[in-house]
Amino acid sequence: MKACIRETTATVTAVAAAVALAACGPGAGTRSGGESSPNIAVLLPDNTTARWETQDKPLLEKRIKELCADCSVEHVNAGGEVAVQQGQMDSMITKGVDAIVLVAVDARSLAATVTKAHQADIPVIAYDRLAQGPISGYVSYDGVEVGRLQGRALLQAMGDKVPGAQIVMMNGDPIDPNAVAFKEGALSVLRGKVRIGKAYDTVQWRPEAANMNMTAALSSLGPDAVDGVYAANDGLAAGSVSALKANKVAPLPPVTGQDAELGAVRRIVGGDQYMTVLKPFAPEASAGGAMAVAAARGHGLTEVATGEVRTGDGRTVPAVLLTPVSVTVDNIEETVVKDGVHTVQQICVPQLRAACERAGLT
């Protein structure tokens, strides 16, 4: 994979500037000299992970409108169903939208419809997940680095139990390319330093599946034999923590996560979850919206991108890859709060007041 990873603020500023310049060029506001009101489709994968509807959707729409006041945005959600998303792609192609922002449910299964869009001269921007097929651009965070951050944090949290500690790995959905990258990054840090007692792949990232799998792991390994839990995201962390508590595991082993969901940050403050990975939604949506607007107007994406990435079929496409941040109880204020993801008031509900004071969140 070839990529140029820049600091978040610098990347977004460069992207915005490039798009603003492109918008001033000849033919701005059209993709091919036809309609003057570009239509951009945003295809989200599921309702299971809170970020898609609560963060990415409104932020993408806001950014697109900031850069292209006459652009219309059409949003659909596949509800975790590959066939539904394939139908949604076909519908957008039939409508003749000017660009598609795609978070693929299954990157491999969507390759054929990405090819259809390409044949119809509709650029597809792979957002957050590297879709297969002839995409025009890619915007995401460095997934392997996410896994490394999680693995390093877990080793640090287990302390003197390493080497020889036993962990349970609660990986994401194996059809999600990001889940594969997270797992790769985590194993690059953990392999040879811990024993992996049980490892699970979690279809559609369902917290209830993580709960069931953690219960099975505790039954097999014993409630006192789990020294740490690698959970690929905050939903899986929530399911794992729930199972640990239901099986009366105390004290709780350190549990990782990702996405800095409000519930996860509260669990970190309260001591139920050790860490999460912050991938600020606003910079990603800003870059994704900028790339979509440039594509819809028929402008090249190389000036918008900060680097490039190699796709599964060996092509190289323009990309923006942002840098993730590890979050523990010690840096919530400098990360989650400072970046405007959650406020102290949102985090510090009454039952966490004492814990928030200990964490310096006041």
Side-chain angles (χ1 to χ4, degrees), residues 62-347:
K62 178 183 178 184
R63 187 58 175 154
I64 289 168
K65 287 295 186 179
E66 286 174 350
L67 296 172
C68 179
D70 63 338
C71 281
S72 60
V73 182
E74 189 163 354
H75 149 260
V76 289
N77 191 305
E81 299 292 334
V82 173
V84 171
Q85 192 167 65
Q86 288 171 329
Q88 291 169 343
M89 281 283 288
D90 286 336
S91 176
M92 297 303 173
I93 293 168
T94 300
K95 290 179 181 180
V97 297
D98 295 283
I100 296 173
V101 178
L102 171 66
V103 189
V105 175
D106 180 345
R108 186 175 303 169
S109 297
L110 267 293
T113 49
V114 171
T115 300
K116 285 183 186 178
H118 178 72
Q119 291 169 343
D121 194 29
I122 300 173
V124 175
I125 308 302
Y127 182 85
D128 199 74
R129 300 174 180 175
L130 186 58
Q132 294 190 14
I135 61 172
S136 297
Y138 177 51
V139 176
S140 189
Y141 280 83
D142 184 342
V144 174
E145 180 61 16
V146 169
R148 292 193 196 105
L149 291 176
Q150 293 169 321
R152 291 176 194 135
L154 191 58
L155 291 179
Q156 180 177 358
M158 291 187 294
D160 294 340
K161 293 183 179 180
V162 178
Q166 179 166 252
I167 70 168
V168 173
M169 290 194 74
M170 208 64 66
N171 301 304
D173 192 329
I175 68 172
D176 179 349
N178 281 354
V180 176
F182 304 150
K183 182 177 179 180
E184 175 189 340
L187 286 175
S188 73
V189 173
L190 297 171
R191 192 179 285 116
K193 297 180 181 177
V194 299
R195 288 180 291 119
I196 301 172
K198 293 289 181 180
Y200 302 92
D201 291 329
T202 316
V203 174
Q204 294 187 7
W205 295 88
R206 294 189 179 279
E208 58 269 27
N211 183 289
M212 180 181 66
N213 289 334
M214 179 56 66
T215 299
L218 293 171
S219 176
S220 174
L221 302 173
D224 300 322
V226 178
D227 300 307
V229 178
Y230 168 80
N233 79 350
D234 291 334
L236 303 185
S240 300
V241 168
S242 177
L244 290 165
K245 287 186 169 183
N247 284 273
K248 298 182 170 30
V249 175
L252 291 175
V255 180
T256 67
Q258 178 186 179
D259 290 332
E261 293 182 358
L262 180 57
V265 178
R266 287 174 177 168
R267 285 192 297 275
I268 291 171
V269 172
D272 292 343
Q273 182 172 326
Y274 179 69
M275 65 85 71
T276 187
V277 176
L278 174 64
K279 302 185 300 183
F281 304 118
E284 187 175 15
S286 181
M291 196 170 277
V293 168
R297 286 176 164 163
H299 299 297
L301 301 183
T302 54
E303 292 183 2
V304 177
T306 58
E308 57 189 23
V309 67
R310 191 171 296 280
T311 62
D313 57 3
R315 294 180 309 109
T316 298
V317 299
V320 175
L321 290 179
L322 303 166
T323 305
V325 179
S326 180
V327 177
T328 67
V329 71
D330 296 322
N331 68 343
I332 289 173
E333 183 133 31
E334 295 78 27
T335 55
V336 174
V337 175
K338 183 179 178 181
D339 286 349
V341 180
H342 309 298
T343 66
V344 171
Q345 290 71 28
Q346 289 172 320
I347 298 166

